[in-house]
């Protein structure tokens, strides 16, 4: 260091800021100052971080001032990008610290509810690797089955080999029932491995791994356990990230590990912030799919995080809140004013590590996972909040960069209670639930200046939206005034408005797609679309598949396949492989190898 730099305080401070040393919260600058200035005459001073207790001897006033001086430098070292944020993410130094912090927090929170009479709009996910109860692998189908009518052997995975008109059952996997509460959440296939996510108990989630190099003879490799019920998972750059939500009763610590070798998470891997409200943990594991070893120690963050967004190099956790419907209007629960804010936690992902990074607050609460979106490294988030006046609320649409810096927001005109938002390319379509329904079109092409383009009356609020190209959108709806579902085809105009090109009413045909967006399937190359459905007749329900195509901006209903089986109980899902549609039906009362039936149809 040159002599002139010795007098440069800013230069010295910058060196401290660049370091990665984590300072215990008990050395927080404000806490130490508060105790010194209060002139309390105690040999032992109790430091308070909201509801967290920590005992520390104070040797002398001079020593305290030395500590304060050190903290002035060191408090900016941890999470330098959020150095001025008093609610930055911090890590614990001991299990006693964790116990002191959590024992007085609220015991639990409930996942946000939209309120009676309001529906969620499914926005189709084009990621072929997304978790689902049905996955294809070449010409094989893996189908997760849950037997709702029996108490034992309820979870199974049926494996079928398809060959055009034939679909033969080649294997059944079971042994997933740890107790009657457990259920397979979904399946993932990656790197010749079948990944089975199992949950249902509030105590733990289990991930089982199978080698499916030979799909007809899956070989169990290992299993991994982590505390909490399963929330979501995703494979990113060859690593499986799984998030679960754990209620910490009696100050318990989250656990994780492979094949029964379970251990508590280290205190340094557990993050918190000063206004954490709930004695819950979001637990995040990272497993290398190729080696089936942890690519990072499992992490946890104290708080309730029912909504997760996976990005290429980050995971974002959104702290959920309670919201309810009162006289058909949305009202934020006023028992806690903080419930008008949402905490967002950023976790940075690296090849061999996860880092609890930044914390940020936005006004309002998240009421649905679909309100969160990302495009070109920009987060788009719609929230709703009130002003502590009954039925006086405002929605805000935020744009943030991936470092959680607000780029822009808009709240100028859409003040009705909203149902949901659909993001399509550079536009957000906000559907309201007021007496006269509207759809607001917001232009997000410039994230720093979101622009309200139009406000249009609409009587067609979709249940599912599927963008099929840069300028056209398919919708599936169940109109209240029709006996049957309806398919719509819309063109996106130059100013973002959705212009109806065609719609098809399907008399007495009801599809799964209005409730489960992943049941909508299609062949991208051949423009073939299919949905499992039932046809309601005067005497019975007939289960099967409805298929359609888009030709010259028109919807063409091509097939209505009916499964011919007198033993059917209710419809299952469907898949498309090449030119064939495979339709499934279920009957819990049938023998083990016949509970799931499959039918093959030439498209």
């Amino acid at each position: 260091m040159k002599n002139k730099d010795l007098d440069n305080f800013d230069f010295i401070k910058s060196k401290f800021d660049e370091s990665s040393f984590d300072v215990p919260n008990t050395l927080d600058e404000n806490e130490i100052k508060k105790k010194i200035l209060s002139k309390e005459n105690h040999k032992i001073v109790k430091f308070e971080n909201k509801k967290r207790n920590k005992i520390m001897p104070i040797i002398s006033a001079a020593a305290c001032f030395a500590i304060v001086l050190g903290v002035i430098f060191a408090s900016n070292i941890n999470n330098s990008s959020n150095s001025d944020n008093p609610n930055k993410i911090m890590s614990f130094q001991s299990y006693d610290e964790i116990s002191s912090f959590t024992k007085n927090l609220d015991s639990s929170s409930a996942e946000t509810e939209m309120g009676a009479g309001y529906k969620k709009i499914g926005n189709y996910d084009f990621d072929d690797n997304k978790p689902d109860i049905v996955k294809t692998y070449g010409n094989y189908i893996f189908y997760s089955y849950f037997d709702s009518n029996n108490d034992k052997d309820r979870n199974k995975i049926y494996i079928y080999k398809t060959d055009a008109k034939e679909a033969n059952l080649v294997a059944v996997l079971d042994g997933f029932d740890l107790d009657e509460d457990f259920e397979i959440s979904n399946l993932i296939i990656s790197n010749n491995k079948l990944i089975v996510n199992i949950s249902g108990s509030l105590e733990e989630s289990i991930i089982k791994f199978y080698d499916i190099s030979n799909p007809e003879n899956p070989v169990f490799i290992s299993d991994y356990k982590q505390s909490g019920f399963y929330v979501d998972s995703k494979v990113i750059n060859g690593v499986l990230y799984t998030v679960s939500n754990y209620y910490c009763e009696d100050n318990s610590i989250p656990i994780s590990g492979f094949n029964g070798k379970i251990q508590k998470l280290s205190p340094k891997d557990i993050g918190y912030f000063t206004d954490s409200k709930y004695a819950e943990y979001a637990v995040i594991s990272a497993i290398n799919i190729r080696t089936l070893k942890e690519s990072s120690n499992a992490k946890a963050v104290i708080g309730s995080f029912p909504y997760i967004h996976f990005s290429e190099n980050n995971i974002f956790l959104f702290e959920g809140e309670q919201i309810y419907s009162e006289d058909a209007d949305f009202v934020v629960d006023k028992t806690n004013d903080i419930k008008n804010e949402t905490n967002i936690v950023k976790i940075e992902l690296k090849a061999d590590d996860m880092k609890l990074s930044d914390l940020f607050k936005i006004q309002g609460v998240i009421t649905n996972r679909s309100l969160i979106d990302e495009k070109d490294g920009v987060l788009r988030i719609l929230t709703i909040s009130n002003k502590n006046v009954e039925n006086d609320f405002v929605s805000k649409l935020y744009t943030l960069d991936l470092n959680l810096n607000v780029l822009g927001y808009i709240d100028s005109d859409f003040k009705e209670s909203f149902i949901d938002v659909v993001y399509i390319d550079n536009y957000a379509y906000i559907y309201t639930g007021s007496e006269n329904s509207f759809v607001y079109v917001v232009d997000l092409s410039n994230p720093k200046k979101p622009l309200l383009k139009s406000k249009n009356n609409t009587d067609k609020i979709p249940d599912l939206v599927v963008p099929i190209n840069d300028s056209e959108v398919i919708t599936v709806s169940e109109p209240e005034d029709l006996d049957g579902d309806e398919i719509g085809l819309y063109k996106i105009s130059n100013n973002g408005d959705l212009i109806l090109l065609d719609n098809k009413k399907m008399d007495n045909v009801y599809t799964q797609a209005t409730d489960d967006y992943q049941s909508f399937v299609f062949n991208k190359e051949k423009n073939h679309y299919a949905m499992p459905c039932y046809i309601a007749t005067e005497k019975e329900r007939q289960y099967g598949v409805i298929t359609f195509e888009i030709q010259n901006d028109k919807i063409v209903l091509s097939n209505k396949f009916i499964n011919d089986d007198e033993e059917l109980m209710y419809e299952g899902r469907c898949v498309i492989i090449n030119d064939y549609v495979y339709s499934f039906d279920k009957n819990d009362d049938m023998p083990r190898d016949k509970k799931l039936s499959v039918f093959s149809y030439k498209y």
Side-chain angles (χ1 to χ4, degrees), residues 65-99:
F65 281 110
I67 292 173
V68 170
L69 183 61
V71 173
I72 292 175
F73 290 97
S75 62
N76 285 325
I77 293 174
N78 189 22
N79 299 320
S80 59
S81 64
N82 251 353
S83 59
D84 295 329
N85 186 352
N87 297 309
K88 62 191 176 187
I89 302 175
M90 297 165 283
S91 296
F92 293 101
Q93 304 302 310
S94 70
Y95 293 122
D96 288 340
E97 276 192 311
I98 298 174
S99 177

Side-chain angles (χ1 to χ4, degrees), residues 59 149 192 249 277 328 332 350 410 422 483 510 535 553 572:
I59 299 175
N149 286 354
N192 290 329
E249 298 179 358
K277 294 182 286 296
V332 177
K350 298 181 179 180
I410 183 171
V422 176
D483 292 329
Y510 299 87
I535 295 91
D553 290 337

